Amino acid sequence: APMYAAAWHRDLHDSGLPGYLQTAERPGWALIACRIAPEYRVDDCAGLGEYSDGSHIQRSVRAAALQFRLRLPRVGGESKHEGLGRIRSDQGIRNK
């Protein structure tokens, strides 16, 4: 199934994610994929990647994911009934 970039119904940080990230051990990023279901819910999340190794950001984002609210993907102006959403979370990374 195609995977779509997350389109937030409710912002990532409004979901309580900062509280979950307290277990992250250092700055980095995590990438996860979740099935987007009706009523903006997500489930069946799986980790796709994490940097830096051992930062545990991916684990934190997956734990918080049940609170995420994503819009269903739109293709050709029509909402799909469900889909896969790709979510990236950057934590404590400073761009120079």
Side-chain angles (χ1 to χ4, degrees):
M3 191 178 314
Y4 303 90
W8 295 98
H9 174 68
R10 183 174 72 197
D11 185 82
L12 175 68
H13 288 86
D14 291 344
S15 68
L17 180 62
Y20 285 92
L21 288 169
Q22 292 176 355
T23 62
E25 295 185 13
R26 56 186 156 282
W29 56 262
L31 185 64
I32 67 171
C34 300
R35 187 175 66 83
I36 306 169
E39 299 179 16
Y40 310 107
R41 296 177 300 106
V42 300
D43 61 12
D44 298 330
C45 295
L48 298 177
E50 170 180 81
Y51 177 83
S52 67
D53 291 335
S55 65
H56 303 294
I57 294 171
Q58 186 179 117
R59 177 184 65 193
S60 300
V61 174
R62 286 183 61 202
L66 293 178
Q67 296 182 46
F68 294 171
R69 297 296 178 258
L70 301 178
R71 296 183 187 280
L72 288 168
R74 295 181 66 85
V75 176
E78 299 288 323
S79 283
K80 300 190 64 75
H81 295 287
E82 65 177 43
L84 289 176
R86 183 180 60 247
I87 302 164
R88 180 177 167 131
S89 178
D90 296 304
Q91 302 305 317
I93 298 175
R94 293 187 182 160
N95 295 325
K96 293 185 178 184

